[in-house]
Amino acid sequence: MHAFHFTRRRLAQGVALLAVLCTASWAQAQNAWPQKPVKIIVPFAPGGTTDLLARAVAPELSKAFGQQFVVENRAGAGGNLGADVVAKSAPDGYTILMGTVGTHGINRALYPKLPYDPFKDFAPITLVAAVPNVMVVNIDKAKAMDIHNVKDFIKAAKAHPGQFNMASSGNGTSIHLAGELFKSQTGIFMAHIPYRGSGPALLDLMGGSMDVMFDNLPSAMPLIKSGKLKALAVTSAQRSGAMPDLPTIEEAAGLKGFEASSWFGLLAPAGTPADIVNRIQQELAKSLNTPAIKEKMLAQGAIPSGNTPAQFATLIESEHKKWAVVVKASGAKVD
Protein backbone atom coordinates (compact mmCIF):
# COMPACT_ATOMS: atom_id res chain seq x y z
CA MET A 1 0.00 0.00 0.00
CA HIS A 2 2.76 2.42 0.96
CA ALA A 3 4.68 1.37 -2.15
CA PHE A 4 1.60 2.14 -4.30
CA HIS A 5 1.20 5.63 -2.80
CA PHE A 6 4.89 6.28 -3.23
CA THR A 7 4.84 5.18 -6.88
CA ARG A 8 1.73 7.24 -7.60
CA ARG A 9 3.29 10.31 -5.98
CA ARG A 10 6.50 9.83 -7.95
CA LEU A 11 4.49 9.36 -11.15
CA ALA A 12 2.58 12.61 -10.54
CA GLN A 13 5.84 14.43 -9.90
CA GLY A 14 7.31 12.95 -13.07
CA VAL A 15 4.33 14.07 -15.17
CA ALA A 16 4.53 17.58 -13.69
CA LEU A 17 8.26 17.73 -14.39
CA LEU A 18 7.72 16.52 -17.97
CA ALA A 19 5.07 19.23 -18.48
CA VAL A 20 7.49 21.89 -17.22
CA LEU A 21 10.27 20.57 -19.47
CA CYS A 22 7.96 20.48 -22.52
CA THR A 23 6.77 24.05 -21.86
CA ALA A 24 10.36 25.19 -21.39
CA SER A 25 11.58 23.46 -24.56
CA TRP A 26 8.61 24.90 -26.55
CA ALA A 27 9.43 28.39 -25.25
CA GLN A 28 13.09 27.79 -26.07
CA ALA A 29 12.17 26.68 -29.59
CA GLN A 30 10.05 29.81 -30.02
CA ASN A 31 12.85 32.06 -28.83
CA ALA A 32 15.35 30.18 -30.99
CA TRP A 33 13.31 30.88 -34.14
CA PRO A 34 14.54 31.22 -36.82
CA GLN A 35 17.00 28.32 -36.90
CA LYS A 36 16.96 28.04 -40.70
CA PRO A 37 16.15 30.31 -43.70
CA VAL A 38 12.64 31.78 -43.90
CA LYS A 39 10.81 31.85 -47.26
CA ILE A 40 8.85 34.91 -48.32
CA ILE A 41 6.50 33.71 -51.06
CA VAL A 42 5.71 36.34 -53.70
CA PRO A 43 2.58 35.21 -55.61
CA PHE A 44 3.60 37.05 -58.80
CA ALA A 45 6.46 37.05 -61.30
CA PRO A 46 9.66 39.07 -60.63
CA GLY A 47 9.69 42.75 -61.56
CA GLY A 48 6.37 43.90 -60.09
CA THR A 49 5.78 45.92 -56.94
CA THR A 50 4.97 42.84 -54.79
CA ASP A 51 8.37 41.44 -55.75
CA LEU A 52 10.18 44.78 -55.31
CA LEU A 53 8.79 45.28 -51.79
CA ALA A 54 9.55 41.69 -50.75
CA ARG A 55 13.15 42.12 -51.92
CA ALA A 56 13.37 45.44 -50.06
CA VAL A 57 12.27 43.96 -46.70
CA ALA A 58 14.00 40.55 -46.95
CA PRO A 59 17.53 41.91 -46.24
CA GLU A 60 16.16 43.98 -43.34
CA LEU A 61 14.60 40.91 -41.74
CA SER A 62 17.74 38.84 -42.44
CA LYS A 63 19.77 41.48 -40.61
CA ALA A 64 17.33 41.67 -37.68
CA PHE A 65 17.12 37.91 -37.09
CA GLY A 66 20.58 36.75 -38.19
CA GLN A 67 19.03 34.25 -40.61
CA GLN A 68 18.32 34.47 -44.34
CA PHE A 69 14.85 35.58 -45.50
CA VAL A 70 14.65 34.30 -49.08
CA VAL A 71 12.18 35.56 -51.70
CA GLU A 72 10.53 32.85 -53.79
CA ASN A 73 8.23 33.72 -56.72
CA ARG A 74 5.21 31.42 -57.11
CA ALA A 75 3.15 33.15 -59.81
CA GLY A 76 -0.22 32.12 -61.20
CA ALA A 77 -4.01 32.47 -60.94
CA GLY A 78 -3.98 36.17 -59.97
CA GLY A 79 -1.83 35.49 -56.91
CA ASN A 80 -4.00 32.60 -55.70
CA LEU A 81 -1.41 29.91 -56.39
CA GLY A 82 1.28 31.44 -54.16
CA ALA A 83 -1.22 32.44 -51.47
CA ASP A 84 -2.55 28.88 -51.37
CA VAL A 85 0.99 27.48 -50.96
CA VAL A 86 1.40 29.59 -47.80
CA ALA A 87 -2.14 28.84 -46.53
CA LYS A 88 -1.28 25.12 -46.61
CA SER A 89 2.27 25.46 -45.20
CA ALA A 90 3.27 24.46 -41.67
CA PRO A 91 2.52 27.28 -39.18
CA ASP A 92 6.11 27.32 -37.93
CA GLY A 93 7.26 30.76 -39.09
CA TYR A 94 9.41 29.44 -41.94
CA THR A 95 6.99 30.25 -44.80
CA ILE A 96 5.30 33.66 -45.05
CA LEU A 97 3.45 35.49 -47.81
CA MET A 98 3.80 38.94 -49.31
CA GLY A 99 0.05 39.27 -49.72
CA THR A 100 -1.73 41.99 -51.68
CA VAL A 101 -5.05 43.75 -52.00
CA GLY A 102 -5.72 41.12 -54.71
CA THR A 103 -4.99 37.98 -52.71
CA HIS A 104 -6.69 39.24 -49.53
CA GLY A 105 -9.08 42.03 -50.52
CA ILE A 106 -10.42 41.27 -54.00
CA ASN A 107 -10.13 37.61 -54.98
CA ARG A 108 -12.78 36.25 -52.60
CA ALA A 109 -15.40 38.35 -54.40
CA LEU A 110 -13.98 37.68 -57.88
CA TYR A 111 -13.35 33.92 -57.87
CA PRO A 112 -16.32 31.60 -57.20
CA LYS A 113 -13.91 28.88 -56.04
CA LEU A 114 -10.98 30.29 -54.08
CA PRO A 115 -8.62 27.51 -52.86
CA TYR A 116 -7.95 29.32 -49.56
CA ASP A 117 -9.86 31.49 -47.09
CA PRO A 118 -8.16 34.91 -46.84
CA PHE A 119 -9.41 35.29 -43.25
CA LYS A 120 -9.34 31.82 -41.67
CA ASP A 121 -6.18 30.48 -43.31
CA PHE A 122 -3.81 33.33 -42.43
CA ALA A 123 -2.34 35.20 -39.48
CA PRO A 124 -1.81 38.83 -40.57
CA ILE A 125 1.64 40.14 -39.58
CA THR A 126 1.86 43.71 -40.84
CA LEU A 127 1.00 46.05 -43.71
CA VAL A 128 4.31 46.77 -45.47
CA ALA A 129 3.19 49.58 -47.78
CA ALA A 130 0.30 51.20 -49.63
CA VAL A 131 0.75 52.49 -53.17
CA PRO A 132 -1.33 54.26 -55.80
CA ASN A 133 -1.72 52.73 -59.24
CA VAL A 134 -0.85 54.72 -62.32
CA MET A 135 -2.48 54.71 -65.76
CA VAL A 136 0.29 54.20 -68.31
CA VAL A 137 0.06 53.86 -72.08
CA ASN A 138 2.37 52.68 -74.82
CA ILE A 139 4.37 55.65 -76.19
CA ASP A 140 3.77 54.82 -79.87
CA LYS A 141 0.04 54.24 -79.35
CA ALA A 142 -0.24 57.60 -77.56
CA LYS A 143 1.48 59.36 -80.49
CA ALA A 144 -0.57 57.52 -83.15
CA MET A 145 -3.87 58.24 -81.39
CA ASP A 146 -2.92 61.79 -80.26
CA ILE A 147 -3.33 60.88 -76.56
CA HIS A 148 -1.93 63.49 -74.16
CA ASN A 149 -4.26 63.00 -71.16
CA VAL A 150 -7.06 60.80 -69.77
CA LYS A 151 -9.81 62.64 -71.68
CA ASP A 152 -7.89 62.08 -74.96
CA PHE A 153 -7.61 58.39 -74.09
CA ILE A 154 -11.36 58.03 -73.45
CA LYS A 155 -12.11 59.85 -76.71
CA ALA A 156 -9.74 57.60 -78.69
CA ALA A 157 -11.10 54.41 -77.10
CA LYS A 158 -14.69 55.44 -77.92
CA ALA A 159 -13.74 56.33 -81.48
CA HIS A 160 -11.85 53.03 -82.00
CA PRO A 161 -13.77 50.30 -80.12
CA GLY A 162 -11.92 46.98 -79.85
CA GLN A 163 -8.53 48.55 -80.60
CA PHE A 164 -7.20 48.82 -77.03
CA ASN A 165 -5.67 45.93 -75.08
CA MET A 166 -5.43 46.40 -71.32
CA ALA A 167 -2.65 44.47 -69.57
CA SER A 168 -2.74 43.49 -65.89
CA SER A 169 -0.57 41.56 -63.45
CA GLY A 170 -3.32 38.94 -63.16
CA ASN A 171 -7.04 38.45 -62.67
CA GLY A 172 -8.27 40.00 -59.45
CA THR A 173 -5.32 42.27 -58.84
CA SER A 174 -5.94 45.95 -58.11
CA ILE A 175 -4.29 46.57 -61.50
CA HIS A 176 -7.05 44.54 -63.17
CA LEU A 177 -9.87 46.01 -61.04
CA ALA A 178 -8.66 49.60 -61.54
CA GLY A 179 -9.07 48.99 -65.28
CA GLU A 180 -12.52 47.41 -64.81
CA LEU A 181 -13.60 50.36 -62.67
CA PHE A 182 -12.32 52.75 -65.36
CA LYS A 183 -14.21 50.83 -68.07
CA SER A 184 -17.47 50.81 -66.11
CA GLN A 185 -17.27 54.53 -65.27
CA THR A 186 -16.36 55.67 -68.80
CA GLY A 187 -18.39 53.17 -70.84
CA ILE A 188 -15.40 52.23 -73.00
CA PHE A 189 -14.35 48.71 -74.02
CA MET A 190 -10.80 47.37 -73.57
CA ALA A 191 -9.82 43.71 -73.90
CA HIS A 192 -8.30 42.57 -70.61
CA ILE A 193 -5.14 40.47 -70.94
CA PRO A 194 -3.94 39.04 -67.59
CA TYR A 195 -0.24 38.21 -67.02
CA ARG A 196 1.58 36.37 -64.22
CA GLY A 197 2.84 39.64 -62.72
CA SER A 198 3.61 43.26 -63.63
CA GLY A 199 7.09 42.46 -64.95
CA PRO A 200 6.03 40.53 -68.08
CA ALA A 201 2.97 42.78 -68.60
CA LEU A 202 5.14 45.92 -68.63
CA LEU A 203 7.52 44.34 -71.16
CA ASP A 204 4.63 43.76 -73.58
CA LEU A 205 3.23 47.23 -72.88
CA MET A 206 6.58 48.76 -73.86
CA GLY A 207 6.81 46.39 -76.83
CA GLY A 208 3.44 47.49 -78.20
CA SER A 209 1.37 44.30 -78.01
CA MET A 210 -0.43 45.91 -75.06
CA ASP A 211 -1.77 49.49 -75.07
CA VAL A 212 -2.63 50.48 -71.50
CA MET A 213 -2.12 49.34 -67.92
CA PHE A 214 -3.10 50.58 -64.44
CA ASP A 215 0.14 49.43 -62.84
CA ASN A 216 1.40 49.93 -59.27
CA LEU A 217 3.43 53.15 -59.22
CA PRO A 218 6.73 51.69 -57.85
CA SER A 219 7.18 49.22 -60.73
CA ALA A 220 6.02 51.66 -63.45
CA MET A 221 7.88 54.76 -62.22
CA PRO A 222 11.37 53.94 -63.60
CA LEU A 223 9.81 53.33 -67.05
CA ILE A 224 7.83 56.59 -66.86
CA LYS A 225 10.92 58.57 -65.83
CA SER A 226 13.06 57.03 -68.56
CA GLY A 227 10.42 57.91 -71.19
CA LYS A 228 9.56 54.27 -72.03
CA LEU A 229 5.91 54.67 -70.98
CA LYS A 230 3.53 57.63 -70.95
CA ALA A 231 1.79 58.26 -67.60
CA LEU A 232 -1.66 59.87 -67.69
CA ALA A 233 -2.89 59.84 -64.07
CA VAL A 234 -2.76 58.11 -60.69
CA THR A 235 -5.74 56.06 -59.48
CA SER A 236 -5.60 57.19 -55.85
CA ALA A 237 -7.88 59.78 -54.22
CA GLN A 238 -4.92 62.17 -53.79
CA ARG A 239 -1.88 62.89 -55.93
CA SER A 240 1.30 60.96 -55.17
CA GLY A 241 4.18 62.76 -53.45
CA ALA A 242 6.54 60.77 -55.70
CA MET A 243 4.99 62.26 -58.88
CA PRO A 244 3.10 65.37 -57.73
CA ASP A 245 2.59 66.74 -61.25
CA LEU A 246 0.50 63.72 -62.24
CA PRO A 247 -3.25 64.34 -61.71
CA THR A 248 -5.66 61.83 -60.19
CA ILE A 249 -8.12 60.14 -62.56
CA GLU A 250 -10.94 62.02 -60.81
CA GLU A 251 -9.17 65.34 -61.54
CA ALA A 252 -8.17 64.40 -65.09
CA ALA A 253 -11.46 62.95 -66.29
CA GLY A 254 -14.05 64.12 -63.76
CA LEU A 255 -14.77 60.54 -62.64
CA LYS A 256 -16.19 61.28 -59.20
CA GLY A 257 -14.92 59.11 -56.35
CA PHE A 258 -12.58 57.09 -58.55
CA GLU A 259 -10.07 55.30 -56.33
CA ALA A 260 -8.21 52.02 -56.82
CA SER A 261 -5.05 51.89 -54.76
CA SER A 262 -2.96 48.86 -53.80
CA TRP A 263 -1.43 47.55 -50.62
CA PHE A 264 1.06 44.84 -49.70
CA GLY A 265 1.61 43.06 -46.41
CA LEU A 266 3.14 40.02 -44.76
CA LEU A 267 0.96 37.14 -43.61
CA ALA A 268 1.77 33.77 -42.03
CA PRO A 269 -0.25 30.54 -42.10
CA ALA A 270 -3.03 30.46 -39.48
CA GLY A 271 -1.80 28.95 -36.24
CA THR A 272 1.68 30.47 -36.45
CA PRO A 273 2.70 31.27 -32.83
CA ALA A 274 1.79 34.84 -31.87
CA ASP A 275 5.32 35.31 -30.54
CA ILE A 276 6.80 34.78 -34.02
CA VAL A 277 4.16 36.98 -35.69
CA ASN A 278 4.79 39.81 -33.21
CA ARG A 279 8.58 39.58 -33.49
CA ILE A 280 8.46 39.87 -37.30
CA GLN A 281 6.05 42.81 -37.08
CA GLN A 282 8.14 44.64 -34.48
CA GLU A 283 11.43 44.23 -36.36
CA LEU A 284 9.89 45.20 -39.69
CA ALA A 285 8.19 48.26 -38.18
CA LYS A 286 11.60 49.38 -36.87
CA SER A 287 13.17 48.95 -40.33
CA LEU A 288 10.33 50.70 -42.16
CA ASN A 289 10.73 53.69 -39.84
CA THR A 290 14.45 54.15 -40.47
CA PRO A 291 15.06 57.26 -42.61
CA ALA A 292 16.92 55.28 -45.32
CA ILE A 293 14.13 52.74 -45.95
CA LYS A 294 11.35 55.29 -45.49
CA GLU A 295 12.88 57.74 -47.99
CA LYS A 296 13.63 54.97 -50.50
CA MET A 297 10.03 53.71 -50.42
CA LEU A 298 8.48 57.18 -50.60
CA ALA A 299 10.71 58.00 -53.59
CA GLN A 300 9.35 54.88 -55.31
CA GLY A 301 5.76 55.94 -54.67
CA ALA A 302 5.11 53.56 -51.76
CA ILE A 303 3.93 54.70 -48.32
CA PRO A 304 5.52 52.44 -45.66
CA SER A 305 3.44 51.20 -42.72
CA GLY A 306 4.48 48.48 -40.25
CA ASN A 307 1.14 48.47 -38.37
CA THR A 308 0.17 45.82 -35.79
CA PRO A 309 -1.30 42.41 -36.70
CA ALA A 310 -4.70 43.51 -35.31
CA GLN A 311 -4.67 46.74 -37.36
CA PHE A 312 -3.70 44.81 -40.50
CA ALA A 313 -6.51 42.28 -39.90
CA THR A 314 -9.03 45.17 -39.64
CA LEU A 315 -7.73 46.65 -42.92
CA ILE A 316 -8.07 43.30 -44.72
CA GLU A 317 -11.70 42.98 -43.58
CA SER A 318 -12.64 46.54 -44.62
CA GLU A 319 -10.87 46.19 -47.99
CA HIS A 320 -12.71 42.96 -48.74
CA LYS A 321 -16.06 44.73 -48.16
CA LYS A 322 -15.02 47.69 -50.34
CA TRP A 323 -13.78 45.60 -53.26
CA ALA A 324 -16.75 43.20 -53.16
CA VAL A 325 -18.90 46.22 -54.08
CA VAL A 326 -16.50 47.23 -56.91
CA VAL A 327 -16.37 43.67 -58.28
CA LYS A 328 -20.18 43.45 -58.29
CA ALA A 329 -20.54 46.86 -59.97
CA SER A 330 -17.96 46.03 -62.64
CA GLY A 331 -19.49 42.63 -63.39
CA ALA A 332 -16.01 41.09 -63.39
CA LYS A 333 -15.85 37.34 -62.68
CA VAL A 334 -13.11 34.76 -63.08
CA ASP A 335 -13.80 31.01 -63.27
Side-chain angles (χ1 to χ4, degrees), residues 5 13 41 58 64 102 134 163-164 175 178 195 218 260 280 282 288 305:
H5 277 306
Q13 286 170 343
I41 302 290
V134 58
Q163 290 187 33
F164 283 84
I175 294 168
Y195 285 75
I280 296 173
Q282 285 157 12
L288 292 173
S305 176

Side-chain angles (χ1 to χ4, degrees), residues 133-153:
N133 290 1
V134 58
M135 184 180 182
V136 281
V137 293
N138 173 271
I139 292 284
D140 294 329
K141 185 87 169 187
K143 283 177 185 169
M145 296 274 188
D146 201 25
I147 296 167
H148 304 283
N149 52 47
V150 180
K151 283 184 175 173
D152 288 343
F153 182 92

